Amino acid sequence: MSFNSIMPYDTATLIGLTIAYGVISSITTFDIRLIQGKKNGTLPPEEPDLPKWVEILYWLEWIIFAIMVYLNWRYALIVFATKFVLKVLPILEIIGNFLMTPFKKK
């Protein structure tokens, strides 16, 4: 596949990568908001952190995005812009909070 050829939007590969990117982005956004909340004092310092394996997801998020750019750069930019909008709104944070509920330390 050359760089000029673009994979169609409705392939199983791009759909799977988009779902994985959305789930991982919501978890990393929630982790970022927890850290920011502790630093600026809106959350108490004794609020539990997420598990250490969440740090791997930051790298995985960029790897998935790079693969999406290679497969279809236009689609990847649309997904990135959508993620940015959902990140500014608290939607990704809420989804991340829901997904990480079983993994929060008590």
Side-chain angles (χ1 to χ4, degrees):
M1 177 189 293
S2 70
F3 189 69
N4 291 332
S5 65
I6 294 179
M7 183 177 279
Y9 297 113
D10 58 352
T11 60
T13 304
L14 274 179
I15 293 171
L17 286 171
T18 303
I19 291 170
Y21 186 74
V23 169
I24 290 170
S25 295
S26 64
I27 293 170
T28 56
T29 300
F30 179 61
D31 188 42
I32 290 169
R33 298 292 188 254
L34 276 177
I35 293 168
Q36 287 174 343
K38 287 181 184 182
K39 283 185 180 179
N40 67 18
T42 56
L43 285 176
E46 62 271 359
E47 180 77 23
D49 290 330
L50 294 180
K52 288 291 183 187
W53 56 263
V54 172
E55 295 173 4
I56 296 171
L57 296 180
Y58 288 99
W59 289 101
L60 191 58
E61 180 179 2
W62 284 106
I63 291 169
I64 290 173
F65 180 71
I67 293 169
M68 287 173 36
V69 166
Y70 176 74
L71 295 176
N72 189 329
W73 64 271
R74 292 179 188 134
Y75 180 75
L77 290 178
I78 292 169
V79 170
F80 189 79
T82 304
K83 180 194 109 170
F84 179 76
V85 169
L86 294 176
K87 194 173 187 177
V88 170
L89 301 172
I91 295 171
L92 282 180
E93 181 181 350
I94 292 168
I95 294 170
N97 188 7
F98 177 73
L99 291 173
M100 294 308 291
T101 300
F103 300 104
K104 289 183 195 173
K105 299 174 188 172
K106 304 214 182 203

